[in-house]
């Protein structure tokens, strides 16, 4: 049986051979291929294959036609945006699915509409599946598998799953990556960047999305998802974290048979968690399952900071009295800092400390624009008053999460990816629990764990305090040196201070407008006085019995007065600079 190192080496040789076939010019006279640089999706490098440029142009033309068909230059709405992504194909559908999980960045209307996207992909022919497996394990697949079921268990945009039997007997699940999917997605990302530049999509979607942010996050997630060793390590870590838990488990991953494009893991039979009839028939207590599942999910978040980010019913099964998660392609992680701030936010919410909760949200998130602190605090206070009036069991968790996202979106606060994934997964988890046991909800389970959520980890808190004390001591020791440097810069005239005052732009604009009007008034007065003096002379030529120059001065002063009167009376509300 080939080892993982043998397969990875074989993968590298196959990739080099394909590169040599497609790009003969990259082979030196000695026959050793030059390494191909990893293409950057942000760059428009077309020098890879003779047909690449024409295919890019064809695909770019297709994208432009789709965007033109939907008249993107005339504005955007949620339905139109979803239809555009569906017409553009699987890559863009996946982008939309990622966007639907980031309600802190995108508005609720768009996230709700993008949740309707589905990746219904035509299954790969079984011959294609065998070709990928042959590249991974060699031509003699009988040495690895006794049989592979030709009917796929599932088919998605990146991979396809088949049931198989290993040579030594166990039934397994084989996840096979679609050939060329990496290049296809990479090409689509590159072309979407080109189309974005040509049609100025960043301007068109400015009120909806930051196109570059979406593309960067999608490409990072897609690259991780297309390397199956990442998913395998997620499953291994999850199984290791709960190896002492008798009622929770995860599939066994066959590491020696897993590579970047193929993953093999234990086949989990059992019954799906939303199959009420079968659960009842086999004697399971659905309420007990719901409570255990909820308790464990809180543990994933608070104790390990490593949680399942897609806990819908299709990813959870019950087998032999155990709850088993079966898909680890989407996992969330929380840093110690994020978990500490989340606990701080929960405590602030529990005691209705609006200022503390506001400061925690600002610390936790990334503020995209100068925050309106007063209005943000007011919004948070209203939020707290709505959801702290009732007991935890009566709180609508999806609405609570959505309202918080709406506030963050309104004030330009982007939450870290782990936090946004957690919030989204909690909403999914709420739906899973309600299907499993309608008498239970996520907030009811959280209420049973309230003490543990609000309790402090004294060891971790002490370590944090000691770390802060050490950092403060270092700063205090450095203060004399820094003060000396500042005084030296002042003495040499090198010190510059930049001030960013909230609301300063409008104040400066009003002050500038006032100065301009004063100057115009002084000019009018000067014209009137000078013209009056000229009129006392007998300067020629004359007009209507007075010197022409004096008459001209009066006329100009009159016109300027009328102009200033109109500006002050009718155009003040438009905030013109004058």
């Amino acid at each position: 049986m080939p080892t993982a190192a043998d397969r990875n080496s074989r993968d590298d040789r196959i990739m080099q051979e394909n590169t040599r076939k497609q790009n003969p010019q990259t082979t030196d006279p000695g026959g050793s291929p030059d390494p191909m640089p990893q293409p950057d999706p942000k760059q428009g490098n077309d020098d890879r294959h003779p047909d690449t440029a024409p295919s890019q142009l064809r695909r770019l033309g297709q994208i432009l036609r789709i965007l033109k068909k939907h008249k993107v230059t005339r504005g955007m709405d949620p339905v139109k945006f979803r239809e555009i992504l569906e017409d553009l194909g699987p890559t863009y559908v996946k982008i939309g699915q990622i966007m639907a999980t980031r309600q802190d960045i995108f508005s609720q209307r768009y996230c709700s509409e993008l949740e309707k996207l589905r990746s219904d992909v035509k299954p790969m022919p079984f011959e294609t599946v065998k070709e990928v497996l042959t590249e991974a394990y060699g031509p003699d697949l009988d040495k690895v598998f006794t049989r592979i079921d030709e009917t796929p268990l599932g088919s998605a945009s990146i991979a396809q799953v088949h049931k198989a039997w290993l040579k030594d007997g166990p039934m397994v699940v084989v996840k096979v990556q679609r050939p060329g999917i990496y290049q296809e997605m990479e090409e689509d990302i590159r072309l979407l960047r080109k189309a974005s530049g040509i049609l100025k999509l960043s301007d068109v979607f400015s009120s909806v999305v930051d196109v570059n942010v979406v593309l960067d996050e999608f490409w990072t997630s897609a690259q991780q998802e297309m390397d199956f060793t990442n998913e395998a390590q997620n499953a291994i870590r999850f199984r290791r974290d709960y190896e002492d838990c008798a009622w929770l488990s995860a599939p066994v991953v066959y590491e020696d048979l897993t590579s970047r494009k193929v993953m093999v893991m234990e086949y989990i039979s059992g019954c799906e968690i939303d199959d009420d009839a079968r659960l009842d028939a086999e004697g399971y207590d659905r309420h007990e399952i719901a409570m255990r599942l909820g308790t464990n999910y809180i543990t994933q978040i608070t104790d390990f900071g490593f949680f399942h980010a897609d806990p819908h019913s299709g990813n959870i099964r019950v087998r032999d009295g155990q709850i088993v998660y079966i898909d680890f392609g989407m996992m969330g992680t929380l840093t110690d800092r994020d978990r500490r701030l989340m606990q701080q936010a929960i405590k602030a919410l529990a005691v209705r400390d609006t200022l503390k909760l506001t400061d925690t949200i600002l610390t936790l998130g990334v503020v995209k624009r100068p925050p309106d602190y007063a209005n943000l605090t007011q919004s948070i206070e209203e939020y707290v008053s709505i959801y702290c009036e009732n007991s935890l069991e009566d709180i609508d968790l999806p609405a609570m999460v959505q309202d918080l996202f709406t506030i963050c979106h309104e004030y330009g606060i982007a939450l870290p990816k782990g936090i946004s994934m957690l919030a989204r997964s909690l909403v999914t988890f709420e739906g899973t629990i309600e299907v499993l046991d309608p008498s239970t909800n996520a907030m009811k389970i959280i209420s049973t764990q309230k003490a543990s959520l609000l309790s402090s980890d004294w060891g971790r808190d002490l370590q944090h305090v000691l770390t802060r004390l050490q950092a403060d001591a270092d700063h205090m020791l450095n203060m004399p040196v820094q003060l000396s440097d500042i005084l030296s810069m002042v003495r040499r005239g090198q010190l510059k201070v930049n001030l960013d005052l909230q609301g300063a732009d409008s104040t400066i604009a009003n002050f500038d407008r006032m100065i301009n009007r004063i100057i115009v008034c002084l000019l009018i007065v000067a014209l009137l006085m000078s013209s009056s003096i000229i009129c006392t002379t007998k300067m020629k030529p004359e007009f209507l019995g007075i010197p022409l120059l004096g008459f001209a001065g009066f006329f100009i002063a009159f016109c300027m007065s009328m102009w200033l009167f109109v500006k002050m009376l009718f155009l003040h509300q438009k905030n013109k600079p004058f």
Side-chain angles (χ1 to χ4, degrees):
M1 184 175 296
T3 65
D6 294 336
R7 279 194 315 281
N8 289 335
S9 176
R10 187 184 303 115
D11 287 344
D12 293 337
R13 290 198 302 273
I14 292 170
M15 188 160 46
Q16 292 173 357
E17 182 63 29
N18 291 338
T19 300
R20 189 162 54 247
K21 291 177 181 179
Q22 295 179 354
N23 299 275
Q25 68 274 17
T26 61
T27 305
D28 61 21
S32 60
D34 293 334
M36 293 291 291
Q38 181 69 20
D40 184 356
K42 297 182 180 180
Q43 303 295 329
N45 180 17
D46 298 329
D47 303 328
R48 292 187 302 168
H49 188 277
D51 294 332
T52 297
S55 64
Q56 279 190 345
L57 291 177
R58 285 194 297 270
R59 180 59 172 159
L60 180 58
Q62 182 184 8
I63 293 174
L64 294 177
R65 284 193 297 272
I66 291 173
L67 296 177
K68 182 179 180 181
K69 181 184 76 171
H70 290 280
K71 299 181 175 64
V72 296
T73 56
R74 297 186 180 179
M76 188 59 55
D77 60 71
V79 175
K80 181 191 290 189
F81 190 55
R82 175 181 58 80
E83 291 173 348
I84 289 174
L85 295 179
E86 289 176 340
D87 288 348
L88 288 173
T91 300
Y92 301 92
V93 168
K94 204 157 193 68
I95 291 176
Q97 291 172 339
I98 290 176
M99 289 172 58
T101 66
R102 297 305 305 270
Q103 299 180 48
D104 56 321
I105 299 178
F106 313 117
S107 67
Q108 177 184 357
R109 296 187 306 125
Y110 282 86
C111 291
S112 299
E113 185 66 28
L114 292 176
E115 288 176 359
K116 301 176 183 178
L117 290 170
R118 294 291 181 266
S119 297
D120 297 327
V121 181
K122 181 180 179 181
M124 288 187 291
F126 186 66
E127 289 302 319
T128 304
V129 174
K130 289 184 65 176
E131 290 175 3
V132 177
L133 295 176
T134 300
E135 289 181 0
Y137 305 119
D140 194 356
L141 292 179
D142 292 339
K143 293 182 178 180
V144 183
F145 304 103
T146 56
R147 184 164 72 89
I148 303 174
D149 192 348
E150 296 188 11
T151 303
L153 295 174
S155 182
S157 57
I158 289 180
Q160 188 163 297
V161 179
H162 288 260
K163 185 163 58 175
W165 288 260
L166 293 179
K167 188 71 175 178
D168 51 359
M171 187 185 302
V172 295
V173 169
V174 182
K175 188 174 184 178
V176 181
Q177 187 174 127
R178 289 179 178 270
I181 188 63
Y182 185 98
Q183 292 79 5
E184 178 183 340
M185 287 192 171
E186 178 190 51
E187 202 65 41
D188 278 343
I189 292 296
R190 181 183 289 113
L191 291 176
L192 186 54
R193 291 187 186 278
K194 289 183 179 180
S196 174
I198 293 172
L199 294 178
K200 301 185 186 306
L201 294 184
S202 294
D203 297 334
V204 175
F205 294 110
S206 58
S207 62
V208 183
V209 298
D210 184 333
V211 175
N212 290 327
V213 169
V214 175
L215 294 180
D216 289 341
E217 181 171 337
F218 162 74
W219 186 236
T220 299
S221 300
Q223 285 177 307
Q224 294 175 352
E225 190 174 350
M226 286 185 285
D227 186 350
F228 291 165
T229 59
N230 291 325
E231 182 177 349
Q233 290 304 314
N234 289 338
I236 292 170
R237 176 181 173 181
F238 189 90
R239 185 179 175 87
R240 183 176 62 246
D241 287 345
Y242 300 99
E243 59 186 356
D244 295 331
C245 183
W247 50 268
L248 188 76
S249 185
V252 174
V253 175
Y254 293 83
E255 293 185 76
D256 58 330
L257 296 176
T258 297
S259 61
R260 289 172 296 180
K261 297 182 179 181
V262 179
M263 185 174 75
V264 179
M265 64 180 181
E266 174 189 7
Y267 176 79
I268 302 298
S269 54
C271 54
E272 295 185 0
I273 206 164
D274 59 349
D275 191 347
D276 297 345
R278 186 174 174 185
L279 287 172
D280 294 339
E282 295 186 10
Y284 288 110
D285 184 340
R286 288 187 283 129
H287 177 74
E288 180 184 2
I289 294 174
M291 295 300 293
R292 285 190 172 186
L293 192 62
T295 302
N296 168 258
Y297 204 71
I298 294 174
T299 302
Q300 293 180 35
I301 298 166
T302 58
D303 293 357
F304 295 99
F306 181 69
F307 60 92
H308 201 289
D310 193 21
H312 63 77
S313 55
N315 285 338
I316 307 173
R317 293 187 179 181
V318 178
R319 181 192 65 176
D320 299 333
Q322 285 187 320
I323 299 172
V324 186
Y325 284 89
I326 62 173
D327 187 341
F328 297 88
M330 188 181 296
M331 301 294 293
T333 56
L334 296 172
T335 64
D336 289 339
R337 171 183 175 274
D338 291 343
R339 280 188 285 168
R340 185 174 65 252
L341 288 173
M342 280 185 57
Q343 190 176 47
Q344 183 174 297
I346 292 173
K347 290 180 179 178
L349 188 62
V351 299
R352 305 187 66 169
D353 188 342
T354 303
L355 293 178
K356 188 67 173 178
L357 181 58
T358 303
D359 291 339
T360 303
I361 291 174
L362 288 173
T363 304
L364 189 61
V366 177
V367 182
K368 299 294 185 180
R369 59 178 182 268
D372 185 346
Y373 189 83
N375 287 333
L376 174 60
T377 304
Q378 179 65 28
S379 298
I380 295 295
E381 186 171 352
E382 294 174 358
Y383 174 81
V384 170
S385 64
I386 291 174
Y387 291 104
C388 288
E389 293 294 335
N390 302 321
S391 61
L392 280 176
E393 296 91 336
D394 297 329
I395 292 177
D396 185 349
L397 179 62
M400 184 178 181
V401 171
Q402 183 59 64
D403 287 348
L404 181 60
F405 276 151
T406 300
I407 293 173
C408 291
H409 181 76
E410 180 181 355
Y411 291 95
I413 303 172
L415 299 177
K417 183 178 179 181
I419 299 296
S420 61
M421 289 183 70
L422 172 60
R424 184 64 186 168
S425 64
L426 283 174
V427 175
T428 303
F429 182 74
E430 170 81 0
T432 302
I433 292 296
E434 287 184 354
V435 170
L436 178 63
D437 180 22
S439 65
T440 306
N441 59 43
M443 293 306 295
K444 182 176 181 179
I445 297 172
I446 291 174
S447 67
T448 64
Q449 304 294 316
K450 182 178 179 180
S452 63
L453 289 173
L454 297 178
S455 63
S456 298
D457 185 339
W458 294 107
R460 185 175 60 192
D461 291 347
L462 179 60
Q463 181 181 6
H464 178 64
V465 170
L466 293 175
T467 303
R468 288 291 303 273
L469 287 175
Q470 181 180 1
D472 292 342
D474 291 339
H475 289 318
M476 291 180 64
L477 291 174
N478 290 330
M479 281 182 64
V481 177
Q482 294 172 349
L483 182 59
S484 176
D485 291 340
I486 292 173
L487 292 175
S488 298
M489 293 175 66
V490 171
R491 188 173 59 252
R492 294 193 300 266
Q494 295 177 335
L495 185 65
K496 295 182 180 180
V497 179
N498 294 325
L499 294 178
D500 185 10
L501 302 178
Q502 185 175 352
D505 292 342
S506 60
T507 303
I508 292 174
N510 291 331
F511 186 73
D512 184 57
R513 186 183 302 113
M514 180 181 67
I515 294 297
N516 289 338
R517 289 174 178 173
I518 290 174
I519 292 173
V520 172
C521 289
L522 291 175
L523 288 175
I524 294 172
V525 171
L527 283 171
L528 290 173
M529 292 180 64
S530 60
S531 298
S532 298
I533 293 172
I534 292 174
C535 288
T536 61
T537 67
K538 302 216 181 264
M539 183 182 294
K540 303 294 183 180
E542 294 182 346
F543 180 76
L544 299 178
I546 62 174
L548 180 60
L549 185 60
F551 177 83
F554 284 130
F555 181 75
I556 294 174
F558 173 76
C559 291
M560 292 179 66
S561 300
M562 294 303 297
W563 174 74
L564 181 61
F565 176 76
V566 172
K567 291 283 287 186
M568 294 176 64
L569 188 61
F570 298 106
L571 302 180
H572 175 70
Q573 69 274 17
K574 295 185 179 179
N575 292 323
K576 298 293 183 181
F578 183 77

